[in-house]
Amino acid sequence: MLQTEDNIMDNNETAATKGVIFNIQTYSIHDGPGIRTTVFLKGCPLRCLWCQNPESQVLQPEIFFDSEKCTGCGKCVQACPNGAIEICEGRSSTNRELCQGTGKCTEVCPNEARNLIGRYVTAGEVFKEVAADSIFYQRSGGGVTLSGGEPLAQPQFAINLLKLCKDGGIHTAIDTCGYARWETVKQVLEHVDLVLYDFKHMDPVEHEKYTGVSNDLILDNVKKIHHDLSIPIIARIPIIPGYNDSVENIEATARFITTELGDAISVHLLPYHKLGESKYDSLEKVGNPVSITPSSEEHMAELKKIVESFGLVVHTGG
Ligand code: SF4
Ligand code: SF4
């Protein structure tokens, strides 16, 4: 089921002050200025066909399954409290509709074929980990970045964590697809120093075809962030060959940025890489992920020149 902001938020509200994260990456240098800690939140209202973090899309913790390690012993079948696992052709198979992400099966698997992705945490627990590297943030001009998934899909948890960071003197950034109600965006961004904003496609029909949602709300929100909140923005364009890397789309994106946000915005072109493709098997997703050949250096250089021709400063990479 495609998660709308409403049902993500309803789920989240029942979890009170806890959030669900799936990674904390220290010493990040691609998610904003300086040395940063990036906290990856689970849950996303989009379903980009090329998503390289499919384990981030569903809000709840999920089982990551390595079929090569499974011997079909059946211990996980007995341990699952929801009857979600069966043995098929000598290997276990999980019914993802029934799985509640309790992780009981991971505790009994003798071969580490099952791992739980995502854990419930309080903002205070995450802040403790994040604050341990404060000295690096101070020296490098870095800080903390919330990414995902989509951080705006867990607004209260994001606010709690960002507030703790701000009160602790730590620079805060958020990496967002921008698909959330404006009220939510505004409340979260009260505690944010820098926004990394994704532009996936400028055509609303193509955007919906590839991500599951139109870009209307996304483009409206970024204009409001710039005009009403005046928070610095870095525009991030994932370059996905065959989907959004046409000259026309890149020109349209650059034109929107200069016209609506001004030419002081820096633009990061993010080349596609194939690292995420094998994750779809581990999540036992129905249907294959799209298989995409990354752009050549020449094509990336051509797209960079196009964006620069609009007077924008462009970096290739994070
Ligand atoms: S917005 Fe990001 S996390 Fe969400 S589906 Fe798209 S690529 Fe994946
Ligand atoms: S417990 Fe591990 S090895 Fe045994 S069937 Fe389940 S996943 Fe396979």
Side-chain angles (χ1 to χ4, degrees):
M1 179 180 69
L2 184 66
Q3 285 178 306
T4 64
E5 193 200 352
D6 283 331
N7 66 29
I8 284 179
M9 285 180 65
D10 287 347
N11 287 337
N12 186 49
E13 241 81 271
T14 61
T17 56
K18 287 207 173 187
V20 188
I21 64 168
F22 67 99
N23 195 12
I24 296 180
Q25 191 175 307
T26 53
Y27 305 109
S28 297
I29 51 165
H30 295 300
D31 296 319
I35 296 173
R36 312 189 71 80
T37 295
T38 305
V39 181
F40 293 87
L41 281 69
K42 252 171 100 44
C44 182
L46 272 58
R47 288 293 177 270
C48 303
L49 291 179
W50 53 80
C51 180
Q52 294 170 349
N53 287 330
E55 75 277 31
S56 73
Q57 293 176 345
V58 174
L59 179 69
Q60 292 80 10
E62 286 174 282
I63 297 298
F64 218 59
F65 175 56
D66 184 343
S67 64
E68 296 294 319
K69 292 183 178 169
C70 177
T71 55
C73 72
K75 289 187 177 165
C76 54
V77 178
Q78 290 157 23
C80 177
N82 304 301
I85 310 173
E86 58 179 358
I87 302 294
C88 295
E89 298 175 2
R91 287 190 175 144
S92 73
S93 168
T94 309
N95 181 330
R96 301 277 164 165
E97 296 287 316
L98 296 178
C99 176
Q100 301 282 315
T102 59
K104 294 285 179 205
C105 58
T106 66
E107 294 164 15
V108 299
C109 177
N111 304 318
E112 296 182 352
R114 294 177 161 267
N115 287 294
L116 195 59
I117 302 286
R119 58 190 165 109
Y120 290 94
V121 284
T122 63
E125 286 164 344
V126 179
F127 177 69
K128 233 186 234 173
E129 282 191 53
V130 160
D133 282 343
S134 287
I135 188 83
F136 296 108
Y137 313 144
Q138 281 160 19
R139 285 187 185 155
S140 67
V144 168
T145 301
L146 302 196
S147 183
E150 172 49 59
L152 296 174
Q154 298 189 56
Q156 194 53 56
F157 173 69
I159 288 169
N160 293 349
L161 178 53
L162 290 163
K163 202 167 173 317
L164 285 171
C165 292
K166 289 287 288 176
D167 291 349
I170 298 173
H171 179 272
T172 56
I174 187 168
D175 174 16
T176 180
C177 72
Y179 189 79
R181 286 187 293 250
W182 173 243
E183 273 311 303
T184 302
V185 176
K186 211 165 72 167
Q187 283 164 10
V188 174
L189 293 196
E190 254 178 57
H191 313 281
V192 168
D193 297 311
L194 171 71
V195 182
L196 311 176
Y197 208 91
D198 296 350
F199 291 86
K200 295 169 195 298
H201 209 296
M202 291 310 293
D203 182 303
V205 176
E206 297 285 293
H207 196 283
E208 182 156 4
K209 191 158 93 187
Y210 300 143
T211 71
V213 302
S214 168
N215 60 6
D216 297 344
L217 179 63
I218 293 168
L219 298 181
D220 273 359
N221 280 341
V222 76
K223 287 191 260 182
K224 287 183 187 156
I225 292 170
H226 179 66
H227 294 292
D228 300 359
L229 306 182
S230 303
I231 299 176
I233 298 169
I234 291 177
R236 311 234 283 186
I237 311 175
I239 301 297
I240 317 296
Y243 292 88
N244 71 350
D245 68 330
S246 67
V247 169
E248 294 73 26
N249 183 53
I250 298 303
E251 277 179 353
T253 311
R255 191 172 300 114
F256 174 89
I257 292 169
T258 46
T259 310
E260 301 292 346
L261 311 177
D263 58 11
I265 301 277
S266 89
V267 177
H268 291 190
L269 301 182
L270 311 177
Y272 178 81
H273 61 74
K274 292 179 85 67
L275 298 177
E277 289 185 8
S278 64
K279 294 178 182 174
Y280 286 80
D281 284 342
S282 300
L283 292 164
E284 299 173 282
K285 294 264 182 206
V286 180
N288 293 323
V290 289
S291 181
I292 296 168
T293 304
S295 303
S296 64
E297 282 185 21
E298 291 75 25
H299 188 48
M300 290 301 297
E302 182 197 357
L303 299 181
K304 183 170 186 270
K305 268 195 192 152
I306 290 171
V307 181
E308 283 171 339
S309 73
F310 284 79
L312 293 158
V313 175
V314 186
H315 301 271
T316 301

